Amino acid sequence: MIWDAFRPQSPQVHAIAGLFDGFLILAAVIFLIVAGLVGFSLVRYRARAGAADPRPTFGSRRIEIAWTAVPLLVVTVIFVFTVRTMAFVDAPREPGQPPDLVITGHQWWWEARYPNGAATANEIHIPVSRRLLARIESVDVIHDFWTPQLARKMDAVPGRPGYIWLEADAPGAFAGACAEFCGKQHAWMRFQVVAEPEAEFSAWLRHQAELPAEPTGAAAEGTRVFREQKCGDCHAVSAADVRAAKGPSLAHIATRNLLGGELPNTSVNLARWIASPQSIKPGNLMPDPNLTPAGVQALTAYLESLR
Amino acid sequence: MRGPRLWLSTVDHKQIGVMYMVTALFFFLVGGIEAMMMRAQLSLPNLTVLAPEIYNQVFTMHGTTMIFLVVMPVLIGFGVYLVPLMIGASEMAFPRLNALTFWLQVCGGFLLYVSFLAGGAPDAGWFSYAPLSEKPYSPHPGLDYWALGLLLLGFGTVLAAVNFIVTIAAQRAPGMTIRRLPLFAWMTLVNSVLILFALPALNAALVMLLSDRLLQAHFFDPAHGGSPVLWQHYFWIFGHPEVYIMVLPAFGMISEIIPVFSRKPIFGYGFVAASTVAIAFLSYGVWVHHMFAVALGRVFISVFAALSMLIAVPTGVKIFAWAATLVGGSIRFTTSMLFAVAFLLEFTIGGLSGVAFATVPIDWELTDTYFVVAHFHYVLFGGTAFALFAGAYYWFPKISGRLLNETMGRWNFWLVVIGFNLTFFVQHFLGLMGMPRRVYTYPNLPGWAPLNLISTFGAVILGFGSLVFICNILASLAFGARAGNDPWDAWTLEWAAASPPPPENFAQVPAVRSRRPLWDLKHPELPDWAAEGGD
Amino acid sequence: MPQRVRLGMALFLLNEAVLFFMLIAAFVYFRGSTLATAASSLHLQAASVYTACLLASSLTMWRAAATGARSWLGGTLALGGLFLYGQGSEYVRLFRQHITISRTQFGTTFFTLTGVHALHVLIGIVLLAIFLILRPSHRTALEAIALYWYFVAAVWIFIFLIVYIWTFL
């Protein structure tokens, strides 16, 4: 690794980074040849006072053929490495192999669903050192699912799903972003991929599919506000509820690290978001709800009870 | 030939050429202000200088303006002005058509910008990917203005291309064979053929998009059986040749300027011309490299990767030919030459980073990041715009009769070179660090803030450099030194005409017996037509 | 006609040919999902008749360009008008079956492709009408219009083959 481009954390991105290193060396050599030739000429052949024009020369077929043939050879080499790396990064999947998780782009958040029914938003968990097959979809415009350190980009084109291998070498939280311009909040269509040891991952997965606990105290008051405000029209509160998917699922939201793809998930931030989502993520599809401070507090308590 | 009425109704190729250039310069200022607005918003993380919907309109208009209202018209303008002079003609083949194409250009630009008053400018990017560009996701009429404006601009550009081809085919002076054609005319010719095949693909896509938006058709709407990927194919079948449409005439300018200031003919005229034709052919087989992140078949992608890499070869041939022209020369460092040499280096960087995007796995990491923004600005600013600065300093004396001021020229050059590289070189690193493009703001991740601030700082310098250029034009028009007919001791026919040329261009066209008719006149003892390889 | 006018017109038509190629390609791209509707709703016999009108109009156009006679010009205009009338009644027939540009994918591709072509025929008719009214002796203009007219008829042959014949094959 001559230079830590991409800071790879998966075999796939390691392979891409290796290819990039090779490319960078090649490009630097070519640039230095051109710049050297130009720089040398500028110094050596600058006009001397009173000098007559040099005797015209018109080219040399031999040299011209050489500088056509050599680059041809160079790109052929690049092409061979390209095809090899492509085959590694996009390793074929078993015929008919079902995806380990389905990631769906929405304006402007990411939904992830696992075969056991677990559903989450903007925070995707994977086990360390086991590759998962992720299907990338979109329900509205084109998005692009990109975790720079873990996997290649894959466009989420409505009606045309794509597949990537999602894998991490070590535990950690890896930032991701939507990479295809998708409208007003493209910039904050960010997410996190959390890689954790196999045992922790399966515990997480099992827990995410469970029904929420019955709310008590302030949280119970929050459920009333939740109903009044018709939050449930867009947001599901349990993984089993698959109807309300216009907005991010709130199932087990209190276990997540981030809110809205970027804010740390604290009571203060949650209350800020509930009070005025438009001031945090202007243009997002959730209208400001017009709640009393007490209403905000109750709703915050309710959401925080969704562990 | 004075007075506003005569400018409005003129069919003279020189006046029309000047009008093209002046309108392009105006829109360059507009597009530049849009760029400054973006750099202001992005100078630090989490700024709120521009609201997201405004930012999206501004970057859409910046791209559309710079491509369709600056680069294409200014290149057509130089062509309209210079091609008849270079081939020893008195006019374009169809002078009235020439005027029509210019005014179509003006109308197209007007339509694009009137959208600001009609409920908002287009906001889906210059590439307007469906379904984001469809009615449900972009309900205000901005995109309708965008599509209609581009249809007009596209139609006008096609007519200009027809005019160029017929002019070069039919109006050449006696002795000006196709193998003696100045390289700028050569590249304009190839460029026109490119336009003829590429622009109608865009026009077809625009007709389909307008059907979707105005008549509720479903070409690109997946909810009703349409295909968003179809838009991408159509757009890039136009869009990639378009990149070469924006750069080939600039190659032509460099191929005129470097030889004159090196005091040597171009190294390998045949290869330079032939590689242009190769680029034109290949440019229709590379469009899918804009879509490598879409789930397309691997074999399909590999074919387009191979062709995209292949196109680097004829481009490389040109760079080597220009560099080799310097070798053994007697180089004069005019501002024009400085820009031409800077072009060589900047464009090489842009060309090399382009190969990264043909290398599919690298594209999978870097596409739609700031690395792309850096790459194509090295091609379009470091390449085309630098060539245009070189061309402006070179041909301004012919057009106006006065030399541009060289002292201001140096300021212009160094501010632009420093500003440009500060602005865009750091964007390579931002891309490598994972900053997506087309974002109105970004999180404060390690390194992102300082690099963006440097970029904004560079943009301010670049802006000042461009203003120096405009000041130089205005000052030199009023006070510049008289140029005479041939200030650079050049060799192509335009320098045999008066500066500025009279309406009929030439009293008598010099005999053309080689590629450098004026060299033959000045050096009867050593004419090109007698030299091996000179013709 | 001067060589450069012929070349200029040919180049312009080349651009138009690419435009139609792209629109026809879009029709073919969606053919899988539109074929059933096309087969059940298009009227091959009627289309054959107005196709014949357009082809015949090329012949009268050729005579008009050769002789400059107003009668041949008038004939061309009439045949072109008949073609548009025929196509218009095809549209009405489809509308009665609730096939519009927005209701079905077939409508989207069919109306866009044939609509753009009809616009070209209409432009030809307008040009001919202007010519008839203003400058009946300007031969270069007439020959240029004739080139355009042959092109529009030739494009229709491709459209007819792909949209109609291929559907009912």
Side-chain angles (χ1 to χ4, degrees), chain A residues 115-131:
Chain A
N116 73 337
T120 178
N122 294 337
E123 182 173 308
I124 292 153
H125 286 240
I126 59 169
V128 167
S129 298
R130 176 162 68 89
R131 61 178 198 184

mmCIF file with all atom_site columns, all heavy atoms in Angstrom, chain A residues 115-131:
data_model
loop_
_atom_site.group_PDB
_atom_site.id
_atom_site.type_symbol
_atom_site.label_atom_id
_atom_site.label_alt_id
_atom_site.label_comp_id
_atom_site.label_asym_id
_atom_site.label_entity_id
_atom_site.label_seq_id
_atom_site.pdbx_PDB_ins_code
_atom_site.Cartn_x
_atom_site.Cartn_y
_atom_site.Cartn_z
_atom_site.occupancy
_atom_site.B_iso_or_equiv
_atom_site.pdbx_formal_charge
_atom_site.auth_seq_id
_atom_site.auth_comp_id
_atom_site.auth_asym_id
_atom_site.auth_atom_id
_atom_site.pdbx_PDB_model_num
ATOM 1   N N   . PRO A 1 115 ? -33.906 -11.181 6.533  1.00 0.00 ? 115 PRO A N   1
ATOM 2   C CA  . PRO A 1 115 ? -34.879 -12.278 6.298  1.00 0.00 ? 115 PRO A CA  1
ATOM 3   C C   . PRO A 1 115 ? -35.688 -12.642 7.542  1.00 0.00 ? 115 PRO A C   1
ATOM 4   O O   . PRO A 1 115 ? -36.806 -13.106 7.420  1.00 0.00 ? 115 PRO A O   1
ATOM 5   C CB  . PRO A 1 115 ? -33.994 -13.457 5.873  1.00 0.00 ? 115 PRO A CB  1
ATOM 6   C CG  . PRO A 1 115 ? -32.733 -12.847 5.387  1.00 0.00 ? 115 PRO A CG  1
ATOM 7   C CD  . PRO A 1 115 ? -32.545 -11.576 6.144  1.00 0.00 ? 115 PRO A CD  1
ATOM 8   N N   . ASN A 1 116 ? -35.158 -12.414 8.752  1.00 0.00 ? 116 ASN A N   1
ATOM 9   C CA  . ASN A 1 116 ? -35.912 -12.787 9.943  1.00 0.00 ? 116 ASN A CA  1
ATOM 10  C C   . ASN A 1 116 ? -36.959 -11.749 10.313 1.00 0.00 ? 116 ASN A C   1
ATOM 11  O O   . ASN A 1 116 ? -37.602 -11.851 11.344 1.00 0.00 ? 116 ASN A O   1
ATOM 12  C CB  . ASN A 1 116 ? -34.970 -13.019 11.134 1.00 0.00 ? 116 ASN A CB  1
ATOM 13  C CG  . ASN A 1 116 ? -34.412 -11.702 11.653 1.00 0.00 ? 116 ASN A CG  1
ATOM 14  O OD1 . ASN A 1 116 ? -34.371 -10.719 10.913 1.00 0.00 ? 116 ASN A OD1 1
ATOM 15  N ND2 . ASN A 1 116 ? -34.000 -11.675 12.902 1.00 0.00 ? 116 ASN A ND2 1
ATOM 16  N N   . GLY A 1 117 ? -37.135 -10.730 9.482  1.00 0.00 ? 117 GLY A N   1
ATOM 17  C CA  . GLY A 1 117 ? -38.164 -9.733  9.734  1.00 0.00 ? 117 GLY A CA  1
ATOM 18  C C   . GLY A 1 117 ? -37.628 -8.468  10.359 1.00 0.00 ? 117 GLY A C   1
ATOM 19  O O   . GLY A 1 117 ? -38.344 -7.475  10.444 1.00 0.00 ? 117 GLY A O   1
ATOM 20  N N   . ALA A 1 118 ? -36.383 -8.467  10.825 1.00 0.00 ? 118 ALA A N   1
ATOM 21  C CA  . ALA A 1 118 ? -35.824 -7.258  11.419 1.00 0.00 ? 118 ALA A CA  1
ATOM 22  C C   . ALA A 1 118 ? -35.778 -6.141  10.370 1.00 0.00 ? 118 ALA A C   1
ATOM 23  O O   . ALA A 1 118 ? -35.464 -6.385  9.212  1.00 0.00 ? 118 ALA A O   1
ATOM 24  C CB  . ALA A 1 118 ? -34.418 -7.528  11.939 1.00 0.00 ? 118 ALA A CB  1
ATOM 25  N N   . ALA A 1 119 ? -36.138 -4.939  10.804 1.00 0.00 ? 119 ALA A N   1
ATOM 26  C CA  . ALA A 1 119 ? -36.099 -3.804  9.888  1.00 0.00 ? 119 ALA A CA  1
ATOM 27  C C   . ALA A 1 119 ? -35.455 -2.638  10.609 1.00 0.00 ? 119 ALA A C   1
ATOM 28  O O   . ALA A 1 119 ? -35.726 -2.404  11.793 1.00 0.00 ? 119 ALA A O   1
ATOM 29  C CB  . ALA A 1 119 ? -37.502 -3.429  9.437  1.00 0.00 ? 119 ALA A CB  1
ATOM 30  N N   . THR A 1 120 ? -34.596 -1.911  9.932  1.00 0.00 ? 120 THR A N   1
ATOM 31  C CA  . THR A 1 120 ? -33.941 -0.787  10.564 1.00 0.00 ? 120 THR A CA  1
ATOM 32  C C   . THR A 1 120 ? -33.731 0.310   9.529  1.00 0.00 ? 120 THR A C   1
ATOM 33  O O   . THR A 1 120 ? -33.989 0.108   8.346  1.00 0.00 ? 120 THR A O   1
ATOM 34  C CB  . THR A 1 120 ? -32.612 -1.225  11.220 1.00 0.00 ? 120 THR A CB  1
ATOM 35  O OG1 . THR A 1 120 ? -31.980 -0.088  11.796 1.00 0.00 ? 120 THR A OG1 1
ATOM 36  C CG2 . THR A 1 120 ? -31.684 -1.865  10.214 1.00 0.00 ? 120 THR A CG2 1
ATOM 37  N N   . ALA A 1 121 ? -33.300 1.476   9.988  1.00 0.00 ? 121 ALA A N   1
ATOM 38  C CA  . ALA A 1 121 ? -33.128 2.590   9.067  1.00 0.00 ? 121 ALA A CA  1
ATOM 39  C C   . ALA A 1 121 ? -31.805 3.279   9.333  1.00 0.00 ? 121 ALA A C   1
ATOM 40  O O   . ALA A 1 121 ? -31.453 3.544   10.484 1.00 0.00 ? 121 ALA A O   1
ATOM 41  C CB  . ALA A 1 121 ? -34.271 3.596   9.223  1.00 0.00 ? 121 ALA A CB  1
ATOM 42  N N   . ASN A 1 122 ? -31.073 3.555   8.278  1.00 0.00 ? 122 ASN A N   1
ATOM 43  C CA  . ASN A 1 122 ? -29.846 4.343   8.318  1.00 0.00 ? 122 ASN A CA  1
ATOM 44  C C   . ASN A 1 122 ? -28.747 3.729   9.177  1.00 0.00 ? 122 ASN A C   1
ATOM 45  O O   . ASN A 1 122 ? -27.715 4.348   9.400  1.00 0.00 ? 122 ASN A O   1
ATOM 46  C CB  . ASN A 1 122 ? -30.112 5.774   8.813  1.00 0.00 ? 122 ASN A CB  1
ATOM 47  C CG  . ASN A 1 122 ? -30.969 6.543   7.839  1.00 0.00 ? 122 ASN A CG  1
ATOM 48  O OD1 . ASN A 1 122 ? -31.004 6.207   6.655  1.00 0.00 ? 122 ASN A OD1 1
ATOM 49  N ND2 . ASN A 1 122 ? -31.658 7.546   8.324  1.00 0.00 ? 122 ASN A ND2 1
ATOM 50  N N   . GLU A 1 123 ? -28.984 2.541   9.703  1.00 0.00 ? 123 GLU A N   1
ATOM 51  C CA  . GLU A 1 123 ? -27.932 1.877   10.471 1.00 0.00 ? 123 GLU A CA  1
ATOM 52  C C   . GLU A 1 123 ? -28.010 0.403   10.151 1.00 0.00 ? 123 GLU A C   1
ATOM 53  O O   . GLU A 1 123 ? -28.991 -0.265  10.463 1.00 0.00 ? 123 GLU A O   1
ATOM 54  C CB  . GLU A 1 123 ? -28.127 2.116   11.970 1.00 0.00 ? 123 GLU A CB  1
ATOM 55  C CG  . GLU A 1 123 ? -27.032 1.488   12.792 1.00 0.00 ? 123 GLU A CG  1
ATOM 56  C CD  . GLU A 1 123 ? -27.162 1.888   14.259 1.00 0.00 ? 123 GLU A CD  1
ATOM 57  O OE1 . GLU A 1 123 ? -27.265 3.087   14.546 1.00 0.00 ? 123 GLU A OE1 1
ATOM 58  O OE2 . GLU A 1 123 ? -27.170 0.974   15.100 1.00 0.00 ? 123 GLU A OE2 1
ATOM 59  N N   . ILE A 1 124 ? -26.986 -0.094  9.496  1.00 0.00 ? 124 ILE A N   1
ATOM 60  C CA  . ILE A 1 124 ? -27.019 -1.456  8.989  1.00 0.00 ? 124 ILE A CA  1
ATOM 61  C C   . ILE A 1 124 ? -25.978 -2.270  9.728  1.00 0.00 ? 124 ILE A C   1
ATOM 62  O O   . ILE A 1 124 ? -24.812 -1.870  9.791  1.00 0.00 ? 124 ILE A O   1
ATOM 63  C CB  . ILE A 1 124 ? -26.748 -1.444  7.468  1.00 0.00 ? 124 ILE A CB  1
ATOM 64  C CG1 . ILE A 1 124 ? -27.938 -0.779  6.777  1.00 0.00 ? 124 ILE A CG1 1
ATOM 65  C CG2 . ILE A 1 124 ? -26.515 -2.852  6.942  1.00 0.00 ? 124 ILE A CG2 1
ATOM 66  C CD1 . ILE A 1 124 ? -27.589 -0.138  5.472  1.00 0.00 ? 124 ILE A CD1 1
ATOM 67  N N   . HIS A 1 125 ? -26.396 -3.375  10.335 1.00 0.00 ? 125 HIS A N   1
ATOM 68  C CA  . HIS A 1 125 ? -25.443 -4.208  11.075 1.00 0.00 ? 125 HIS A CA  1
ATOM 69  C C   . HIS A 1 125 ? -25.015 -5.390  10.231 1.00 0.00 ? 125 HIS A C   1
ATOM 70  O O   . HIS A 1 125 ? -25.833 -5.986  9.533  1.00 0.00 ? 125 HIS A O   1
ATOM 71  C CB  . HIS A 1 125 ? -26.077 -4.695  12.385 1.00 0.00 ? 125 HIS A CB  1
ATOM 72  C CG  . HIS A 1 125 ? -26.175 -3.613  13.413 1.00 0.00 ? 125 HIS A CG  1
ATOM 73  N ND1 . HIS A 1 125 ? -25.569 -3.687  14.635 1.00 0.00 ? 125 HIS A ND1 1
ATOM 74  C CD2 . HIS A 1 125 ? -26.786 -2.400  13.377 1.00 0.00 ? 125 HIS A CD2 1
ATOM 75  C CE1 . HIS A 1 125 ? -25.812 -2.580  15.322 1.00 0.00 ? 125 HIS A CE1 1
ATOM 76  N NE2 . HIS A 1 125 ? -26.557 -1.789  14.576 1.00 0.00 ? 125 HIS A NE2 1
ATOM 77  N N   . ILE A 1 126 ? -23.738 -5.699  10.310 1.00 0.00 ? 126 ILE A N   1
ATOM 78  C CA  . ILE A 1 126 ? -23.226 -6.894  9.629  1.00 0.00 ? 126 ILE A CA  1
ATOM 79  C C   . ILE A 1 126 ? -22.262 -7.595  10.576 1.00 0.00 ? 126 ILE A C   1
ATOM 80  O O   . ILE A 1 126 ? -21.692 -6.969  11.470 1.00 0.00 ? 126 ILE A O   1
ATOM 81  C CB  . ILE A 1 126 ? -22.511 -6.544  8.294  1.00 0.00 ? 126 ILE A CB  1
ATOM 82  C CG1 . ILE A 1 126 ? -21.337 -5.595  8.550  1.00 0.00 ? 126 ILE A CG1 1
ATOM 83  C CG2 . ILE A 1 126 ? -23.468 -5.950  7.291  1.00 0.00 ? 126 ILE A CG2 1
ATOM 84  C CD1 . ILE A 1 126 ? -20.434 -5.436  7.343  1.00 0.00 ? 126 ILE A CD1 1
ATOM 85  N N   . PRO A 1 127 ? -22.076 -8.908  10.388 1.00 0.00 ? 127 PRO A N   1
ATOM 86  C CA  . PRO A 1 127 ? -21.083 -9.617  11.196 1.00 0.00 ? 127 PRO A CA  1
ATOM 87  C C   . PRO A 1 127 ? -19.685 -9.371  10.639 1.00 0.00 ? 127 PRO A C   1
ATOM 88  O O   . PRO A 1 127 ? -19.540 -9.091  9.455  1.00 0.00 ? 127 PRO A O   1
ATOM 89  C CB  . PRO A 1 127 ? -21.484 -11.086 11.026 1.00 0.00 ? 127 PRO A CB  1
ATOM 90  C CG  . PRO A 1 127 ? -22.142 -11.136 9.688  1.00 0.00 ? 127 PRO A CG  1
ATOM 91  C CD  . PRO A 1 127 ? -22.788 -9.802  9.461  1.00 0.00 ? 127 PRO A CD  1
ATOM 92  N N   . VAL A 1 128 ? -18.672 -9.460  11.489 1.00 0.00 ? 128 VAL A N   1
ATOM 93  C CA  . VAL A 1 128 ? -17.301 -9.270  11.022 1.00 0.00 ? 128 VAL A CA  1
ATOM 94  C C   . VAL A 1 128 ? -16.855 -10.503 10.234 1.00 0.00 ? 128 VAL A C   1
ATOM 95  O O   . VAL A 1 128 ? -17.191 -11.635 10.580 1.00 0.00 ? 128 VAL A O   1
ATOM 96  C CB  . VAL A 1 128 ? -16.364 -9.042  12.238 1.00 0.00 ? 128 VAL A CB  1
ATOM 97  C CG1 . VAL A 1 128 ? -14.914 -9.168  11.834 1.00 0.00 ? 128 VAL A CG1 1
ATOM 98  C CG2 . VAL A 1 128 ? -16.638 -7.676  12.829 1.00 0.00 ? 128 VAL A CG2 1
ATOM 99  N N   . SER A 1 129 ? -16.118 -10.264 9.154  1.00 0.00 ? 129 SER A N   1
ATOM 100 C CA  . SER A 1 129 ? -15.456 -11.337 8.385  1.00 0.00 ? 129 SER A CA  1
ATOM 101 C C   . SER A 1 129 ? -16.401 -12.396 7.823  1.00 0.00 ? 129 SER A C   1
ATOM 102 O O   . SER A 1 129 ? -16.015 -13.538 7.633  1.00 0.00 ? 129 SER A O   1
ATOM 103 C CB  . SER A 1 129 ? -14.390 -12.032 9.243  1.00 0.00 ? 129 SER A CB  1
ATOM 104 O OG  . SER A 1 129 ? -13.403 -11.092 9.593  1.00 0.00 ? 129 SER A OG  1
ATOM 105 N N   . ARG A 1 130 ? -17.636 -12.028 7.619  1.00 0.00 ? 130 ARG A N   1
ATOM 106 C CA  . ARG A 1 130 ? -18.518 -12.922 6.851  1.00 0.00 ? 130 ARG A CA  1
ATOM 107 C C   . ARG A 1 130 ? -19.246 -12.028 5.866  1.00 0.00 ? 130 ARG A C   1
ATOM 108 O O   . ARG A 1 130 ? -19.876 -11.055 6.260  1.00 0.00 ? 130 ARG A O   1
ATOM 109 C CB  . ARG A 1 130 ? -19.514 -13.625 7.776  1.00 0.00 ? 130 ARG A CB  1
ATOM 110 C CG  . ARG A 1 130 ? -20.530 -14.493 7.009  1.00 0.00 ? 130 ARG A CG  1
ATOM 111 C CD  . ARG A 1 130 ? -21.201 -15.513 7.922  1.00 0.00 ? 130 ARG A CD  1
ATOM 112 N NE  . ARG A 1 130 ? -22.087 -14.904 8.925  1.00 0.00 ? 130 ARG A NE  1
ATOM 113 C CZ  . ARG A 1 130 ? -23.396 -14.659 8.712  1.00 0.00 ? 130 ARG A CZ  1
ATOM 114 N NH1 . ARG A 1 130 ? -23.949 -14.931 7.552  1.00 0.00 ? 130 ARG A NH1 1
ATOM 115 N NH2 . ARG A 1 130 ? -24.126 -14.118 9.668  1.00 0.00 ? 130 ARG A NH2 1
ATOM 116 N N   . ARG A 1 131 ? -19.128 -12.378 4.587  1.00 0.00 ? 131 ARG A N   1
ATOM 117 C CA  . ARG A 1 131 ? -19.725 -11.458 3.625  1.00 0.00 ? 131 ARG A CA  1
ATOM 118 C C   . ARG A 1 131 ? -21.228 -11.710 3.509  1.00 0.00 ? 131 ARG A C   1
ATOM 119 O O   . ARG A 1 131 ? -21.675 -12.861 3.492  1.00 0.00 ? 131 ARG A O   1
ATOM 120 C CB  . ARG A 1 131 ? -19.044 -11.563 2.269  1.00 0.00 ? 131 ARG A CB  1
ATOM 121 C CG  . ARG A 1 131 ? -19.138 -12.904 1.628  1.00 0.00 ? 131 ARG A CG  1
ATOM 122 C CD  . ARG A 1 131 ? -18.481 -12.908 0.259  1.00 0.00 ? 131 ARG A CD  1
ATOM 123 N NE  . ARG A 1 131 ? -18.944 -14.063 -0.486 1.00 0.00 ? 131 ARG A NE  1
ATOM 124 C CZ  . ARG A 1 131 ? -18.512 -14.412 -1.674 1.00 0.00 ? 131 ARG A CZ  1
ATOM 125 N NH1 . ARG A 1 131 ? -17.595 -13.676 -2.273 1.00 0.00 ? 131 ARG A NH1 1
ATOM 126 N NH2 . ARG A 1 131 ? -18.983 -15.457 -2.293 1.00 0.00 ? 131 ARG A NH2 1
#
